[in-house]
C-alpha cells in the first residue's frame, strides 16, 4: 500500500486546541412567543464591502469606530451606524497588522494592540507584544508589568482579554507557559506553536464595552488577569482568580462575568477594591463568546446565541429582551464579538459566523406586530444547527413571521427518544401537532404512509436539488418530506487501495489480515504519530458506537424490506461488527471507547467548527490505511488535504449506495398554515440557507454545494499559503459519489438502538450470533407487525 508523507503535527495540534474550547452549539429553549405589542427590528449596518472580521469600538464621545480585517480601513459613524465615513486605517499597506489580535481604542484615537511576529520556518509563533498603534500606523512598544517581563524572557505569551477602561485604566488577561519558555517540566512538553490556531478576538473601547477570551482552552498554561494603570503599566489589582468570560465598565465600576454566569465587580479607583453586585446570567457549558455591556439606563445587558437579556441594578434575575431564535445572533456557529447599547436603547452586535463578519443593529418598533397566524411551530427530536440556520434566514426575510421552536430532547434530559416520539404521535393524532416536523431520528415513512404529512410536490420547488437525492423522495406523484443536507458513508484511501476494497467482504478480509492498532496512553506524545506501513491497521475505530453508525448508515435500507427483518443481512451486519470490534478490541473499552481516541477540530473564522475523530483522525495522522465514516461536513476536504493522494468512494456497505438524509423536513397535513410552512421549506432550499457551513451534512442543492466547495477550497489555499505549500485540488469527487447514491436511511432510532444493543452484546461475548439475531427479531417484531396493519 502506498506510503503517505508525514503529517504536519503542528497543524493538527492547532486544530485540537481550537476545538477543545468550542464545544457544542447550545440548544434553544422551547416555546418562543411572538410579541404582538412591538418587537425589535434587525438591520445589517456592516460598513464597506464586508470582511472576514471587524473590530467595533465606541469612542468616549459616542462615535462608532470600526476597522475591517487587517485594520486596512477605518470607518466612523455618528448616527448609530446608519452611515459610515471611510478613511485609511493604520494597516493600509502594512501586512504586520494582519497579525494584530486583541485591540482596545484609546481616548486619543490610537489602538492598544496585541501584535504577533512572523512564525519561524518550523511554524513556531513568537510571543505576542503589546504595542500602541497611532492612526498613521506608527507602532511603539508599551510596557505592562509582568507581561512585558515574560516576553523579554522568551515565554510563549498571548493575550486573552484586553479592555481600555475609563480613567486611564486597562483590563488585561494573558496566558503563558508553552514551548521553550515553559515555566514547568509539564509545560515544556507542549509544542511552542500550540497557539497557531488563535483567532483575532473582538476588541474593546472605553466605557461601554466587552472583552472575551480567545476561543480555546489552553492546557498547562498560567492564566493571569489584572487591572493596570495604562500610563505607567503598573498592576493595580490581581484579577487572576476572576478570569472573566466577558467584562464591561461604566465610569466607576468594572463588571466581570464568570464562566459560571456569576457577576463580580471592582471599583476602578482605590486599586480595584471588590464590591458586591447582585444577579447572574444563565450560561451553557463551554459558552465562549458572549456580549456584555452596561447600558445608558444602568442595566447590564448580556447576549449569547439563545437570547439577549437585561439585568436591572439590584435585581437577581435577568429579563429576556430578544429570543435568539428570531434573529441573526441566534444562528448556529455565530460568535457575538461585541455588544453595544446606544442612547436610544438600540443594540449593536458585531457578529462573526460562517459567512464572515456583520454589524447588526436592533431597534425597537412599538408598532411592529406579528399575527399569531404567522407564527410557525417547529418540532425536532434534537437540536439541529441546519434548521436553526434556516430559521434565522427565514425570519430575516419574513419580518412579519415568527417561529416557535420545540426541542423534545433538551439538555435537561429525563425523556428518551422513544418517549418523545410517542408523545408527538399522540399530539399528531389529536390534531394538535406542530406545523413543521424535523424527522431526523423519527419513523418518517410511517408518518407519510399514515397520511400525517402534507404532499410537497407542486408546492415546493425542488429543481435546485441534486437529481439523485430528489428522486429518492418522489413516489407516485407525492413527496412527503425533503432533506436539507445529505451525509454519505465514505471510504477514504489511496486510489489503488480503494480498488482493492470495492465490496464489504473484501474490505473485512483486509482488516482481518492487517495489523491491530497499538494501544497508547492518552497522554503519550506518540498519540498522533504516524505508524510505519507494516504497523498501520487497515481500519481503526474508537468505539463500538462509531462502527455501528457506519454500518447502519451504509446498510439500513437492506436490513428491512416489506416490514420484515432480512435475516442474512442481519447476520452479515453482526459479523461485520464483530470483525471490526475484535481488531481494535473495542468491546473491552465500553461505551466511552478507547482512551487514546483523541478529538480534533478547526475553524475557518472563529465560529464555524468541524471535528475530526475516530477513523478519519487515524487516517490523516498516518495510523490507518483507510478511513471509513459518515461525512458530515464539506470541511472534511481540509483534513483530506493532510493525507496527499487521498480519494473518496461510497463505503461498500450492506446496502451499496445508501446514505443518511439530514435535516429531513415535513409539514403536518393538519396544519392551518400550509402556505407559510411551504415558504419555510422553500427558504431552507434557497442558496443563502444551503451555503451556510453549519455542519449536518452536505447541501442538497448543486448551487449550495458548489458555494461551500469554493469556500473550503479557498480556505485550503490560504492555509497552504501560510505554510508555504502549493494548494492541492479537492480530492473528494462529489459527482462520482452522487452518481452512486441509492436508497436513503429512513428508519427511526428505535430499530437502530435495538440493533446496537444486540451487536454490543455479541461483541462483548454475552450473546452468540444466533442469540443476537433472535434478540433483534424478538424486539422488533411488535413494531414491524404494526406497520403491516
Amino acid at each position: 500500500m502506498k506510503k503517505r508523507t508525514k503529517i504536519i503535527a503542528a497543524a493538527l495540534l492547532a486544530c485540537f486546541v481550537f476545538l477543545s474550547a468550542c464545544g457544542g452549539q447550545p440548544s434553544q429553549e422551547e416555546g418562543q412567543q411572538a410579541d404582538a405589542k412591538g418587537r425589535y427590528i434587525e438591520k445589517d449596518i456592516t460598513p464597506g464591502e464586508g470582511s472576514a472580521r471587524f473590530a467595533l469600538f465606541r469612542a468616549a464621545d459616542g462615535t462608532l469606530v470600526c476597522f475591517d480585517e487587517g485594520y486596512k480601513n477605518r470607518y466612523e459613524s455618528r448616527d448609530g451606524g446608519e452611515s459610515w465615513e471611510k478613511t485609511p486605517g493604520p494597516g493600509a499597506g502594512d501586512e504586520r497588522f494582519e497579525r494584530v489580535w486583541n485591540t482596545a481604542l484609546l481616548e486619543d484615537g490610537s489602538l492598544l494592540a496585541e501584535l504577533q511576529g512572523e512564525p519561524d520556518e518550523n511554524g513556531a509563533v513568537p510571543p505576542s507584544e503589546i504595542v500602541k498603534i497611532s492612526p498613521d500606523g506608527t507602532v511603539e512598544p508599551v510596557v505592562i508589568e509582568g507581561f512585558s517581563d515574560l516576553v523579554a524572557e522568551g515565554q510563549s505569551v498571548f493575550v486573552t482579554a484586553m479592555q481600555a477602561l475609563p480613567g486611564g485604566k486597562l483590563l488585561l488577561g494573558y496566558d503563558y507557559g508553552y514551548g521553550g519558555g515553559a515555566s514547568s517540566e509539564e509545560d515544556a512538553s507542549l509544542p511552542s506553536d500550540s497557539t497557531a490556531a488563535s483567532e483575532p478576538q473582538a476588541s474593546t473601547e472605553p466605557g461601554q464595552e466587552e472583552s472575551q477570551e480567545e476561543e480555546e482552552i489552553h492546557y498547562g498554561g498560567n492564566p493571569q488577569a489584572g487591572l493596570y494603570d495604562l500610563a505607567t503599566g503598573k498592576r493595580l489589582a490581581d484579577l487572576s482568580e476572576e478570569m472573566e468570560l466577558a467584562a464591561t465598565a461604566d465610569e466607576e465600576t468594572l463588571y466581570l462575568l464568570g464562566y459560571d454566569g456569576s457577576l463580580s465587580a471592582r471599583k476602578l479607583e482605590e486599586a480595584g477594591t471588590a464590591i458586591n453586585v447582585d444577579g447572574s446570567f444563565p450560561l451553557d457549558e463551554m459558552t465562549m463568546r458572549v456580549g456584555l455591556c452596561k447600558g445608558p439606563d444602568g442595566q447590564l445587558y448580556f447576549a449569547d446565541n439563545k437570547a439577549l437579556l437585561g439585568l436591572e441594578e439590584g435585581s437577581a434575575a435577568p429579563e429576556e429582551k430578544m429570543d435568539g431564535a428570531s434573529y441573526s445572533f441566534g444562528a448556529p456557529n455565530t460568535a457575538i464579538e461585541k455588544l453595544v447599547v446606544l442612547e436610544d436603547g438600540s443594540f449593536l452586535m458585531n457578529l462573526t459566523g460562517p459567512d464572515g463578519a456583520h454589524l447588526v443593529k436592533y431597534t425597537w418598533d412599538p408598532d411592529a406586530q406579528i399575527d399569531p397566524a404567522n407564527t410557525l411551530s417547529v418540532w425536532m427530536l434534537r437540536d439541529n444547527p441546519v434548521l436553526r440556520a434556516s430559521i434565522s434566514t427565514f425570519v430575516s426575510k419574513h419580518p412579519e413571521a415568527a417561529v416557535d421552536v420545540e426541542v423534545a430532547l433538551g439538555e435537561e434530559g429525563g425523556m428518551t427518544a422513544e418517549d418523545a416520539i410517542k408523545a408527538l404521535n399522540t399530539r399528531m393524532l389529536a390534531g394538535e401537532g406542530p406545523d413543521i416536523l424535523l424527522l431526523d431520528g423519527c419513523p418518517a415513512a410511517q408518518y407519510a404512509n399514515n397520511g400525517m404529512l402534507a404532499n410537497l410536490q407542486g408546492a415546493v420547488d425542488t429543481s435546485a436539488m441534486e437529481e439523485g437525492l430528489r428522486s429518492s423522495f418522489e413516489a407516485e406523484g407525492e413527496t412527503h418530506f425533503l432533506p436539507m443536507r445529505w451525509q454519505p458513508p465514505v471510504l477514504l484511501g489511496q486510489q489503488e487501495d480503494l480498488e482493492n476494497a470495492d465490496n464489504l467482504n473484501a474490505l473485512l478480509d483486509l482488516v482481518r489480515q492487517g495489523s491491530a492498532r497499538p494501544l497508547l496512553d492518552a497522554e503519550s506524545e506518540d498519540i498522533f504519530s504516524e505508524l510505519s506501513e507494516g504497523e498501520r491497521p487497515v481500519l481503526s475505530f474508537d468505539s463500538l458506537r462509531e462502527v455501528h453508525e457506519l454500518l447502519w448508515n451504509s446498510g439500513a435500507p437492506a436490513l428491512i424490506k416489506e416490514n420484515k427483518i432480512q435475516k442474512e443481512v442481519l447476520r452479515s451486519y453482526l459479523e461485520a461488527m464483530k470483525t471490526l470490534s475484535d481488531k481494535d478490541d473495542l468491546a473491552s473499552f465500553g461505551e466511552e471507547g478507547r482512551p487514546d481516541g483523541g478529538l480534533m477540530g478547526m475553524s475557518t473564522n472563529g465560529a464555524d467548527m468541524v471535528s475530526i475523530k475516530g477513523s478519519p483522525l487515524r487516517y490523516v495522522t498516518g495510523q490507518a490505511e483507510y478511513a471509513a465514516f459518515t461525512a458530515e461536513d464539506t470541511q472534511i476536504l481540509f483534513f483530506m488535504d493532510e493525507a496527499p493522494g487521498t480519494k473518496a468512494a461510497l463505503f461498500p456497505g450492506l446496502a451499496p449506495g445508501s446514505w443518511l438524509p439530514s435535516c429531513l423536513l415535513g409539514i403536518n397535513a393538519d396544519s392551518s398554515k400550509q402556505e407559510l410552512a411551504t415558504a419555510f421549506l422553500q427558504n431552507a432550499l434557497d442558496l443563502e440557507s444551503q451555503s451556510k457551513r453549519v455542519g449536518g451534512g452536505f447541501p442538497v442543492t448543486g448551487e449550495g454545494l458548489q458555494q461551500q466547495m469554493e469556500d473550503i477550497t479557498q480556505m485550503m489555499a490560504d492555509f497552504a499559503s501560510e505554510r508555504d505549500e502549493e494548494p492541492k485540488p479537492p480530492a473528494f469527487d462529489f459527482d462520482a459519489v452522487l452518481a452512486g447514491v441509492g436508497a436513503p436511511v429512513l428508519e427511526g432510532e428505535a430499530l437502530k438502538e435495538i440493533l446496537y444493543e444486540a451487536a454490543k452484546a455479541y461483541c462483548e461475548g454475552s450473546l452468540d450470533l444466533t442469540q443476537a439475531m433472535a434478540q433483534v427479531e424478538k424486539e422488533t417484531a411488535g413494531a414491524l407487525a404494526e406497520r403491516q396493519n
Side-chain angles (χ1 to χ4, degrees):
M1 295 184 177
K2 186 176 179 180
K3 172 82 170 171
R4 280 186 297 274
T5 58
K6 185 168 181 63
I7 306 303
I8 298 176
L12 293 175
L13 178 61
C15 294
F16 169 70
V17 171
F18 222 113
L19 179 70
S20 299
C22 184
Q25 171 70 21
S27 63
Q28 297 278 5
E29 300 293 338
E30 66 177 80
Q32 179 212 344
Q33 298 297 322
D35 188 349
K37 298 181 180 179
R39 65 194 299 256
Y40 283 96
I41 303 301
E42 176 177 313
K43 181 180 181 180
D44 192 316
I45 58 169
T46 305
E49 298 179 356
S51 173
R53 179 164 288 100
F54 284 101
L56 172 67
F57 307 91
R58 190 180 186 205
D61 64 358
T63 300
L64 297 175
V65 181
C66 183
F67 296 90
D68 57 16
E69 191 167 21
Y71 296 83
K72 299 184 183 303
N73 297 295
R74 177 186 177 111
Y75 302 87
E76 291 189 359
S77 176
R78 293 169 178 80
D79 56 7
E82 297 299 321
S83 63
W84 296 90
E85 179 183 350
K86 176 182 175 181
T87 57
D94 194 333
E95 293 185 357
R96 287 181 303 167
F97 297 99
E98 298 289 344
R99 297 186 297 279
V100 168
W101 293 160
N102 290 270
T103 51
L105 183 66
L106 304 181
E107 292 181 356
D108 64 358
S110 299
L111 288 170
L112 192 69
E114 174 197 10
L115 179 62
Q116 254 180 7
E118 286 273 10
D120 63 21
E121 64 275 7
N122 297 317
V125 180
S128 298
E129 295 183 89
I130 296 179
V131 299
K132 182 178 179 180
I133 305 174
S134 299
D136 63 1
T138 303
V139 176
E140 55 184 290
V142 175
V143 177
I144 302 294
E145 180 182 339
F147 182 94
S148 298
D149 296 332
L150 291 168
V151 172
E153 293 171 7
Q155 293 277 8
S156 181
V157 191
F158 50 92
V159 173
T160 56
M162 180 184 288
Q163 181 163 341
L165 304 172
K169 303 298 190 301
L170 172 70
L171 171 67
L172 180 68
Y174 59 91
D175 208 343
Y176 72 97
Y178 297 92
S183 60
S184 68
E185 191 170 338
E186 175 186 358
D187 296 335
S189 67
L190 290 170
S192 61
D193 58 351
S194 61
T195 64
S198 296
E199 293 281 346
Q201 184 67 14
S203 308
T204 51
E205 75 282 354
Q208 301 174 355
E209 49 199 338
E210 87 178 85
S211 175
Q212 299 94 9
E213 293 192 14
E214 289 287 10
E215 189 175 7
E216 50 187 35
I217 291 178
H218 310 290
Y219 295 98
N222 299 278
Q224 304 288 312
L227 179 64
Y228 297 82
D229 180 274
L230 189 54
T232 64
K234 181 180 179 180
R235 191 172 196 164
L236 304 177
D238 184 1
L239 305 178
S240 299
E241 296 301 316
E242 303 172 54
M243 280 300 292
E244 77 289 343
L245 173 62
T248 189
D250 55 24
E251 293 298 320
E252 299 178 350
T253 308
L254 169 66
Y255 298 91
L256 304 173
L257 178 67
Y259 285 96
D260 60 354
S262 62
L263 285 166
S264 59
R266 295 272 187 153
K267 289 186 177 181
L268 291 180
E269 301 300 332
E270 303 177 19
T273 303
I275 58 177
N276 293 327
V277 60
D278 294 324
S280 63
F281 292 105
L283 287 178
D284 288 309
E285 184 179 0
M286 299 306 293
T287 296
M288 294 303 292
R289 289 192 180 183
V290 302
L292 185 69
C293 186
K294 186 73 178 292
D297 57 1
Q299 289 196 54
L300 280 172
Y301 290 96
F302 163 89
D304 63 5
N305 292 122
K306 280 190 172 182
L308 187 145
L309 307 173
L311 181 68
E312 293 186 2
E313 185 176 354
S315 175
E319 177 185 0
E320 181 176 295
K321 303 295 183 180
M322 283 188 281
D323 188 323
S326 294
Y327 299 97
S328 294
F329 73 86
N333 296 342
T334 295
I336 301 172
E337 307 282 7
K338 174 67 66 66
L339 172 67
V340 171
V341 186
L342 302 182
E343 293 298 329
D344 64 358
S346 298
F347 297 97
L348 299 183
M349 292 190 194
N350 183 6
L351 306 177
T352 302
D355 54 350
H358 295 273
L359 300 180
V360 182
K361 184 175 184 178
Y362 298 96
T363 304
W364 179 258
D365 184 346
D367 298 321
Q369 296 185 3
I370 295 178
D371 190 329
N374 289 334
T375 300
L376 285 173
S377 56
V378 177
W379 181 97
M380 44 186 156
L381 186 63
R382 293 183 176 84
D383 212 345
N384 184 287
V386 178
L387 185 54
R388 290 290 185 188
S390 293
I391 291 172
S392 177
T393 59
F394 178 75
V395 296
S396 67
K397 295 176 183 177
H398 297 270
E400 79 287 355
V403 179
D404 190 357
V405 180
E406 178 183 353
V407 182
L409 300 180
E411 296 176 348
E412 68 280 357
M415 180 182 287
T416 66
E418 185 177 4
D419 292 338
I421 292 172
K422 285 182 178 178
L424 174 65
N425 293 344
T426 300
R427 291 167 57 188
M428 295 283 285
L429 291 171
E432 300 174 353
D435 299 306
I436 296 172
L437 296 94
L438 178 71
L439 296 164
D440 293 16
C442 300
Q446 288 179 256
Y447 289 151
N449 293 337
N450 292 333
M452 302 167 79
L453 300 176
N455 182 12
L456 305 178
Q457 276 201 32
V460 178
D461 181 2
T462 61
S463 59
M465 291 181 66
E466 294 287 354
E467 173 61 29
L469 305 178
R470 180 179 68 246
S471 61
S472 297
F473 297 91
E474 297 175 346
E476 299 178 358
E478 295 189 354
T479 298
H480 294 287
F481 36 74
L482 289 168
M484 300 301 113
R485 295 290 190 272
W486 64 287
Q487 300 179 11
V490 296
L491 185 66
L492 303 186
Q494 304 297 301
Q495 183 61 50
E496 56 266 43
D497 294 343
L498 295 180
E499 292 171 359
N500 294 328
D502 59 357
N503 64 79
L504 185 58
N505 288 334
L507 180 60
L508 293 175
D509 283 343
L510 291 173
V511 170
R512 296 184 188 101
Q513 297 164 15
S515 301
R517 171 174 158 186
L519 179 62
L520 299 174
D521 188 300
E523 304 300 322
S524 170
E525 294 183 6
D526 297 325
I527 190 170
F528 297 131
S529 296
E530 183 178 5
L531 299 174
S532 66
E533 186 171 351
E535 294 177 306
R536 286 198 298 268
V538 172
L539 279 171
S540 190
F541 300 93
D542 287 347
S543 68
L544 282 172
R545 181 71 73 172
E546 181 187 356
V547 177
H548 170 60
E549 291 287 337
L550 171 69
L551 294 178
W552 173 263
N553 292 337
S554 62
L559 187 64
I560 298 179
K561 290 185 176 179
E562 297 180 354
N563 297 321
K564 294 181 181 179
I565 292 284
Q566 303 300 298
K567 293 184 179 181
E568 288 308 310
V569 178
L570 175 60
R571 180 187 299 275
S572 296
Y573 161 81
L574 292 169
E575 289 176 341
M577 280 286 295
K578 189 76 162 60
T579 296
L580 296 172
S581 171
D582 287 352
K583 201 64 180 182
D584 274 346
D585 194 25
L586 298 178
S588 66
F589 294 114
E591 191 67 24
E592 295 300 318
R594 293 176 63 105
D596 59 342
L599 180 65
M600 308 180 79
M602 54 79 61
S603 170
T604 58
N605 52 31
D608 185 19
M609 299 301 301
V610 61
S611 65
I612 179 172
K613 54 186 176 180
S615 181
L617 172 58
R618 296 303 154 189
Y619 174 71
V620 298
T621 52
Q623 296 182 331
E625 296 292 351
Y626 297 86
F629 62 104
T630 303
E632 298 180 357
D633 198 296
T634 43
Q635 291 196 83
I636 192 63
L637 295 170
F638 175 89
F639 295 105
M640 291 169 62
D641 186 43
E642 292 296 325
T646 297
K647 299 297 180 183
L650 280 170
F651 184 78
L654 296 166
S658 77
W659 55 283
L660 183 67
S662 176
C663 196
L664 190 64
L665 298 180
I667 297 175
N668 185 350
D670 291 334
S671 170
S672 61
K673 304 167 187 175
Q674 297 288 328
E675 184 176 349
L676 191 62
T678 299
F680 183 91
L681 263 66
Q682 193 68 66
N683 170 80
L685 288 173
D686 288 348
L687 180 59
E688 183 177 357
S689 296
Q690 288 287 305
S691 62
K692 287 185 179 295
R693 299 197 310 274
V694 292
F698 303 127
V700 295
T701 68
E703 288 183 331
L705 185 57
Q706 180 180 359
Q707 183 64 60
Q708 287 201 13
M709 287 188 68
E710 289 176 357
D711 292 344
I712 300 303
T713 301
Q714 183 61 53
M715 179 193 72
M716 293 165 62
D718 292 343
F719 191 76
S721 176
E722 291 174 6
R723 296 187 291 179
D724 293 324
E725 297 177 358
E726 288 295 323
K728 306 174 185 67
F732 202 108
D733 188 343
F734 281 101
D735 289 337
V737 173
L738 280 164
V741 297
V745 177
L746 295 176
E747 290 293 339
E749 290 197 5
L751 176 61
K752 179 181 176 182
E753 196 62 24
I754 289 172
L755 200 60
Y756 172 71
E757 291 300 329
K760 179 182 176 185
Y762 176 43
C763 293
E764 292 173 343
S766 58
L767 295 178
D768 62 23
L769 179 59
T770 301
Q771 291 170 328
M773 292 180 64
Q775 178 171 306
V776 172
E777 292 182 79
K778 177 182 178 181
E779 295 189 8
T780 59
L784 294 179
E786 288 181 6
R787 295 188 188 183
Q788 299 176 16
N789 296 331

